[in-house]
Amino acid sequence: MYANATGQDACGQCPLNEYNPKLGKESCSLCPDGQYTAFKGSATCVSCFGGSFLNTDKTECVECDAGKASDPGATTCTACTAGKFAAAGASYCATVEAGKEVVKDGELRVGAASCTAGRYSTGSVDSCTDCTGPTFSCTACEAGTFFTGVGADACTECEAGTWSGEGEASCQECQAGKAGHRANDEHTDQEVCPMNTFSFGATQNCSRCTNGGHSKAGSASCDRCSTGTYYEAEASQCLPCPVGTASLSGAPDIDGCDACVAGETYQSEIGQAICLPCSTCGLGEEVGLGCTVTSDTECTQCEAAYAGLGGNDSCQLCSGEREAGHIGPYCNLCVDGYAPDAFQLCQECKTGASDVAYTLVILVVGLVLLVGLNWALNKKVFKKNPKLKRSLKTGLKILFVSTQILAALPSIVPAIELPENYKEAVESVQVFNLNPFTLVGVGCYNSGWNLNWMLLSTTVLPLVLCGVLAAKKKKDAAIAVTFLVLPTVTTTIFKIFPCDDLGNEKEYLHADYSLSCKSASHQVWVAYGVAMVLVWPIGVLGMYAALLWKNRAKIKQEEEEREKDEALMQSAFLWEPYKPSFWWFEIFETARRLAMTGVLGAISPGSDVQLASGIVMTFGGTMVYCICMPFSELKDNILGILTNAQIFLVMLTAM
């Protein structure tokens, strides 16, 4: 309060921002800088608190903005200097701690934040500094890692084939012959490659020498011993693999020489590339000394009357009907001086001069008698009675076919067991097979005679004969030849296919155990057999079918008309015995004969399946004869049914 004149009845109030601390004063004093009065009539002035300042009107205290600070009574806020910061209303600027940097809002330092990864700060600075190495507060990279550059937030692991020590700024490549290894999953050092390994450098692991290669410790490449040798480290040279072992590409040490397998392979010499397979004894042989890793099998020949399967089997004494003259697997081969008969049993050869002369005389006499009988019948009987000739020819044809099949059965179906007297009867009709090589016993005169040569002879010679007859315009005779020899030829052809597996990788032709199915020559003969199937069973049957189909209309003419046609009569052998409506029956009959001889012989020889197949074939043929009754005369139909039934019963009794 104050009074500035005399005679006043009251004191006046000091205005704002002025004060009067004493009574009786005539005037108020202005508040000092930075102070103000909150109301009129104030006796004192007050200051603003720290962190604020007095506004220009001196009416109120204003809070300092972030980034500025003020002392109590300040008239302005002062911006924080480098390395310091202040929040809004701060009375002083705080110093930035180590590991932190200033946060700015424009030019104002309004706060502090931690350094980001890869940067550091020692405090009292506006900005963190990028790490340039293991300095100050940046951590040094451990061994096996490296510092990748300014601002990196972590150490980087060394790549495969490189390494580093502690605090390294980069990883080093391993030298040639060494490889970087990781200790505790870290690349901390490089090691020398051990013996028989190598490294080109810059690799994580040493590579092992392959293909028989070898190397000294710390090598950048491998050397190789030659085939059949191994590397001896102490001698520093390649030495030959010992007997009983081998090495195809050289070995790094003696253990690298591959040991032969006892009983399977052997090697009797040093320094060899491979072990040789142990030999297996052949047919008619047995093992004398077994195969070891250092020596081959020694085989000894089975004595006569002993069977040898080869391989590791011992010779077994042939017994029963195969006791004399037999040898080889299952006693199925003949010794010298013996040859197989129709039942594939070895019979002693009779090759003396008297025996040969006797055989030739019998053949010549038989041929003369047949020619003479044919001439006499044609001149004296058949000329006067041609129907009798046809009837007799048909009956003989039916009997010939059935007898030919019966004569072939023992060699086709090994499982057939016949009584002794029946065997003798079958042996006596072997001539109907028209196979001179079986009748004469060529094996007695040529020890190299086998099924291959029989196949060649039985297929080629009839073709030559037919060619000669056709050239002489004797078409009917050529057809008759094919009819007579077709079953025998077909049976021989089909024998070239079935093979028996005897184990020990031994496989032999079922019809001739002297021939191996594993040989390259056998494949040639099989190919020849396939070709002959096309020529004989398929070709001849196709020829019959073509001739009969072409002439079917003429065959159905009256008998007098047929006999006038000379071209038609050339094929009369195929259709003349049958009724005209059954002009096709010879096709069925030929197919039946082929099935009962060649085809049946190729169906699992000696098995029940083969017997069952034969029974079905013969029963079916008998039923066809009974239903069709194809022959012109009743007696021929009856004879055909009886002969078919006979074959059926023979097959049935063998079951």
Side-chain angles (χ1 to χ4, degrees):
M1 301 290 285
Y2 72 96
N4 59 1
T6 59
Q8 292 184 344
D9 57 359
C11 292
Q13 290 181 328
C14 290
L16 290 173
N17 295 324
E18 293 183 12
Y19 72 100
N20 183 10
K22 297 180 180 181
L23 294 175
K25 288 189 71 172
E26 295 179 352
S27 62
C28 296
S29 300
L30 291 173
C31 290
D33 290 342
Q35 295 184 353
Y36 72 101
T37 59
F39 49 86
K40 294 178 180 181
S42 297
T44 60
C45 294
V46 295
S47 298
C48 290
F49 294 107
S52 62
F53 68 96
L54 186 64
N55 63 4
T56 55
D57 294 336
K58 294 186 178 183
T59 57
E60 62 179 342
C61 293
V62 179
E63 185 181 62
C64 291
D65 293 332
K68 295 181 179 181
S70 67
D71 294 326
T75 58
T76 60
C77 294
T78 303
C80 296
T81 58
K84 296 183 178 182
F85 68 96
S91 61
Y92 68 93
C93 290
T95 300
V96 176
E97 298 176 354
K100 293 186 177 182
E101 64 181 353
V102 167
V103 177
K104 285 187 175 184
D105 182 5
E107 294 297 323
L108 297 177
R109 298 169 175 84
V110 300
S114 297
C115 294
T116 57
R119 309 181 78 201
Y120 74 96
S121 164
T122 57
S124 301
V125 293
D126 274 0
S127 301
C128 296
T129 303
D130 291 332
C131 292
T132 57
T135 59
F136 299 100
S137 60
C138 292
T139 303
C141 291
E142 298 177 353
T145 64
F146 70 100
F147 178 71
T148 57
V150 175
D153 59 0
C155 296
T156 302
E157 187 177 88
C158 292
E159 296 180 352
T162 63
W163 67 281
S164 71
E166 184 177 358
E168 296 286 347
S170 63
C171 296
Q172 303 178 51
E173 287 190 353
C174 297
Q175 301 172 7
K178 299 180 179 180
H181 292 280
R182 297 170 59 180
N184 300 324
D185 292 332
E186 297 177 348
H187 302 246
T188 60
D189 200 357
Q190 58 177 341
E191 298 178 352
V192 174
C193 286
M195 185 175 68
N196 293 332
T197 65
F198 72 98
S199 166
F200 296 118
T203 60
Q204 177 62 36
N205 298 301
C206 299
S207 300
R208 185 167 183 81
C209 295
T210 58
N211 297 325
H214 64 272
S215 68
K216 297 179 181 179
S219 296
S221 63
C222 294
D223 296 320
R224 183 187 297 177
C225 290
S226 60
T227 296
T229 63
Y230 70 94
Y231 182 68
E232 175 56 58
E234 293 184 2
S236 297
Q237 62 178 337
C238 295
L239 300 177
C241 290
V243 293
T245 66
S247 173
L248 184 60
S249 57
D253 50 46
I254 192 169
D255 293 333
C257 292
D258 299 320
C260 301
V261 180
E264 296 182 11
T265 58
Y266 77 98
Q267 185 49 258
S268 58
E269 299 180 8
I270 64 171
Q272 298 302 306
I274 60 172
C275 292
L276 303 175
C278 293
S279 300
T280 54
C281 295
L283 294 176
E285 296 179 337
E286 66 176 347
V287 175
L289 293 177
C291 183
T292 66
V293 295
T294 59
S295 62
D296 194 10
T297 307
E298 293 185 12
C299 301
T300 58
Q301 188 73 30
C302 292
E303 298 178 4
Y306 279 81
L309 285 176
N312 296 321
D313 294 321
S314 300
C315 297
Q316 303 293 327
L317 181 64
C318 298
S319 59
E321 59 186 1
R322 295 184 180 272
E323 181 174 355
H326 294 79
I327 198 173
Y330 304 119
C331 297
N332 273 347
L333 297 177
C334 297
V335 299
D336 292 341
Y338 284 77
D341 61 10
F343 295 91
Q344 299 303 305
L345 297 177
C346 298
Q347 302 296 336
E348 186 176 3
C349 296
K350 300 187 181 300
T351 56
S354 58
D355 295 319
V356 174
Y358 177 77
T359 301
L360 292 175
V361 169
I362 292 297
L363 290 175
V364 171
V365 171
L367 182 61
V368 170
L369 289 176
L370 286 174
V371 172
L373 179 62
N374 180 65
W375 179 84
L377 289 174
N378 282 319
K379 286 290 185 179
K380 303 295 182 181
V381 180
F382 297 150
K383 189 174 182 179
K384 298 178 181 179
N385 192 350
K387 288 186 177 181
L388 176 61
K389 178 181 179 180
R390 286 196 298 270
S391 178
L392 183 60
K393 185 167 65 173
T394 301
L396 290 175
K397 182 179 178 181
I398 295 171
L399 291 174
F400 176 84
V401 169
S402 63
T403 305
Q404 195 175 46
I405 293 175
L406 287 173
L409 282 181
S411 61
I412 295 173
V413 187
I416 285 184
E417 295 184 4
L418 302 174
E420 287 300 323
N421 56 350
Y422 197 86
K423 284 184 178 181
E424 294 176 0
V426 171
E427 183 71 30
S428 65
V429 296
Q430 287 303 306
V431 66
F432 289 97
N433 267 331
L434 300 181
N435 189 342
F437 307 107
T438 301
L439 292 174
V440 175
V442 179
C444 291
Y445 302 95
N446 183 358
S447 59
W449 181 260
N450 54 39
L451 183 66
N452 292 339
W453 297 114
M454 182 177 289
L455 171 64
L456 182 64
S457 302
T458 54
T459 52
V460 172
L461 292 181
L463 286 176
V464 173
L465 179 58
C466 289
V468 172
L469 292 173
K472 293 185 176 182
K473 302 186 183 303
K474 294 186 178 294
K475 182 179 177 181
D476 54 342
I479 292 175
V481 169
T482 61
F483 175 86
L484 295 173
V485 303
L486 183 60
T488 298
V489 174
T490 302
T491 300
T492 306
I493 293 173
F494 277 94
K495 284 181 179 181
I496 203 67
F497 302 117
C499 294
D500 290 345
D501 188 352
L502 305 183
N504 296 322
E505 298 185 357
K506 296 287 187 180
E507 191 174 351
Y508 293 94
L509 205 60
H510 177 80
D512 189 344
Y513 273 18
S514 67
L515 299 174
S516 171
C517 293
K518 298 284 189 179
S519 65
S521 61
H522 176 69
Q523 304 308 316
V524 176
W525 285 106
V526 167
Y528 178 78
V530 171
M532 288 299 102
V533 168
L534 299 176
V535 172
W536 279 101
I538 295 177
V540 172
L541 183 61
M543 180 185 70
Y544 290 175
L547 287 172
L548 291 171
W549 175 261
K550 178 182 178 181
N551 296 316
R552 65 189 185 283
K554 295 180 180 180
I555 295 172
K556 294 178 182 179
Q557 295 176 348
E558 295 296 330
E559 182 177 349
E560 292 78 7
E561 294 296 324
R562 293 198 303 257
E563 291 179 352
K564 293 178 182 179
D565 192 334
E566 293 185 4
L568 177 63
M569 294 305 293
Q570 288 286 312
S571 60
F573 188 83
L574 300 177
W575 52 262
E576 193 174 32
Y578 307 109
K579 299 172 184 176
S581 59
F582 288 94
W583 57 268
W584 52 267
F585 201 79
E586 190 61 41
I587 301 174
F588 166 79
E589 178 65 5
T590 302
R592 182 183 73 88
R593 294 167 67 205
L594 292 175
M596 287 300 301
T597 52
V599 176
L600 184 60
I603 301 176
S604 302
S607 67
D608 291 339
V609 174
Q610 187 187 40
L611 279 174
S613 301
I615 291 172
V616 171
M617 291 178 185
T618 53
F619 181 77
T622 304
M623 289 300 98
V624 171
Y625 268 78
C626 291
I627 294 170
C628 294
M629 302 291 281
F631 292 102
S632 299
E633 297 185 19
L634 178 61
K635 64 179 181 61
D636 294 328
N637 286 308
I638 295 174
L639 182 60
I641 294 171
L642 291 176
T643 53
N644 274 277
Q646 179 189 21
I647 300 172
F648 170 74
L649 292 175
V650 170
M651 298 291 295
L652 187 63
T653 56
M655 285 295 287

